[in-house]
Amino acid sequence: MPAPALRTPSPSAVPVMRHKNYFFHEADVNFRVEGYVFRVHRYFFLRESAHFRELLGSSAFPGQDAPGMTEANPVVLHDATSDGFACFLWVFYNPKYSIYNATPKQWSMILELAQQWGFKEVELLCIRELERLDMSPVDRIYIYQERGIDHTLLLDSYATLTTRDEPIALEEGIKLGIKTSLQIARAREMSRGPDTGTGLRSPSAVQVLGPDLHTLIQGIFELPPLRTGGVAHAGPYTAPIHPSHGIDRASALPSVPTAPTTPSKPEALSQSNSSSSDNPPSYDGPVDVKGTSRFETLKTSGAARGRGRGGTR
């Protein structure tokens, strides 16, 4: 007798619970993500996303509620995780106005959903906050390439890997990918020593620095020249990686409009019954970031328009 065929449980068969931080009784749209129902305010989704304006504006059959109107008939989001969606909602319901403390991985998760669903202002926020964070050059390159962020913002990260004494380690090369690793190896070779005439350069300390180094890297990585005041420059215009240098890497990005007043929730915005590091971050105290603006540079170069893995818009 043949074994019975395996069945995938239907969504209605999976136990569902209300998310402990994002179920507002006075809100007006219900989303289901994995085993959680989120009841939030549709205003944010209608304001920001053409995808959700179409999804939530679809008419229901006679006698049926429109999608998301009731807890029994939520909009099911198959292209998100409950932790990722909770992080995404934290952007709108953050109780600390304009203070966003999150990890690079959390911002990457938020950015992925913003790009999938067409939340342009959230995308700009993610890029600005990623630019503020102190990350290793390899981690920054990995996230920016994965999410399709403008590679001109990686000029300093490429330069750091080019000029440091240590070559690219195996683990770093795997994370960067073969193309980027080979480009960095070429930049390291070309920035050191004179050409021997055989196509190889004698090993020595870095001899190409400053604007000449940025020009070299821009050529190897095929980066367009940055523009300020309508004039193209080879650089350098991106800020140092370490915030201790006193330059704000992200002040140049467009500001995010203040959201309407929303119900306040506890500051610990973690996923219910989960201790994952991917949970929405909590507020850890004030952040003092100082520096100069490079808004026009990023604005004209379309820095924030990159796209990573596509999604339904």
Side-chain angles (χ1 to χ4, degrees):
M1 181 177 180
L6 296 177
R7 285 186 173 183
T8 302
S10 64
S12 59
V14 179
V16 177
M17 62 183 297
R18 295 175 176 177
H19 194 275
K20 73 172 185 178
N21 290 321
Y22 297 111
F23 191 95
F24 305 111
H25 290 280
E26 69 277 19
D28 55 3
V29 64
N30 296 268
F31 293 105
R32 178 175 173 181
V33 186
E34 296 180 329
Y36 294 92
V37 172
F38 299 76
R39 184 173 177 86
V40 292
H41 298 83
R42 70 173 58 222
Y43 169 80
F44 301 115
F45 295 85
L46 298 178
R47 182 190 69 184
E48 299 282 345
S49 170
H51 168 68
F52 278 99
R53 285 194 292 271
E54 179 180 355
L55 182 64
L56 299 178
S58 59
S59 59
F61 292 105
Q64 290 185 347
D65 294 318
M69 289 295 294
T70 64
E71 187 176 354
N73 185 31
V75 175
V76 181
L77 301 178
H78 297 285
D79 51 355
T81 65
S82 56
D83 281 344
F85 191 55
C87 281
F88 184 81
L89 292 174
W90 169 76
V91 169
F92 301 107
Y93 292 100
N94 178 13
K96 298 295 181 180
Y97 303 119
S98 77
I99 299 178
Y100 293 92
N101 288 335
T103 67
K105 184 174 182 180
Q106 289 164 339
W107 282 121
S108 182
M109 292 169 61
I110 298 169
L111 178 58
E112 179 179 3
L113 294 180
Q115 291 176 333
Q116 282 183 185
W117 298 333
F119 283 73
K120 179 59 181 175
E121 294 300 328
V122 177
E123 182 182 354
L124 291 173
L125 170 67
C126 292
I127 297 172
R128 188 175 68 251
E129 293 301 321
L130 283 169
E131 283 284 277
R132 291 184 189 276
L133 295 179
D134 184 17
M135 284 187 276
S136 73
V138 173
D139 288 340
R140 188 178 297 279
I141 292 171
Y142 174 77
I143 290 176
Y144 282 36
Q145 290 182 341
E146 183 183 44
R147 298 269 48 90
I149 300 174
D150 189 347
H151 288 189
T152 58
L153 295 176
L154 294 174
L155 188 58
D156 291 311
S157 296
Y158 293 143
T160 299
L161 295 177
T162 297
T163 58
R164 76 179 190 183
D165 292 336
E166 302 81 9
I168 300 298
L170 176 60
E171 296 78 8
E172 293 176 325
I174 293 173
K175 196 167 189 177
L176 292 171
I178 186 169
K179 179 179 178 180
T180 300
S181 298
L182 290 175
Q183 288 172 315
I184 292 173
R186 177 167 174 76
R188 289 177 59 84
E189 176 184 321
M190 295 183 66
S191 65
R192 289 166 167 82
D195 192 338
T196 62
T198 62
L200 299 176
R201 294 174 183 260
S202 59
S204 65
V206 176
Q207 298 187 15
V208 180
L209 297 170
D212 291 337
L213 177 62
H214 284 115
T215 300
L216 171 66
I217 292 174
Q218 284 176 318
I220 292 175
F221 287 89
E222 301 179 347
L223 302 178
L226 301 179
R227 293 180 176 272
T228 54
V231 179
H233 303 274
Y237 287 98
T238 51
I241 291 172
H242 302 290
S244 60
H245 292 181
I247 299 180
D248 182 354
R249 293 177 55 93
S251 61
L253 285 163
S255 59
V256 176
T258 303
T261 302
T262 55
S264 61
K265 297 299 288 182
E267 294 180 6
L269 305 179
S270 59
Q271 165 67 36
S272 177
N273 296 332
S274 173
S275 59
S276 169
S277 61
D278 297 339
N279 290 339
S282 59
Y283 171 65
D284 295 323
V287 177
D288 182 16
V289 182
K290 300 178 182 179
T292 57
S293 173
R294 53 193 181 106
F295 169 80
E296 291 303 325
T297 299
L298 301 182
K299 182 86 170 176
T300 56
S301 64
R305 195 56 192 170
R307 282 288 184 269
R309 177 169 58 86
T312 304
R313 300 190 185 282

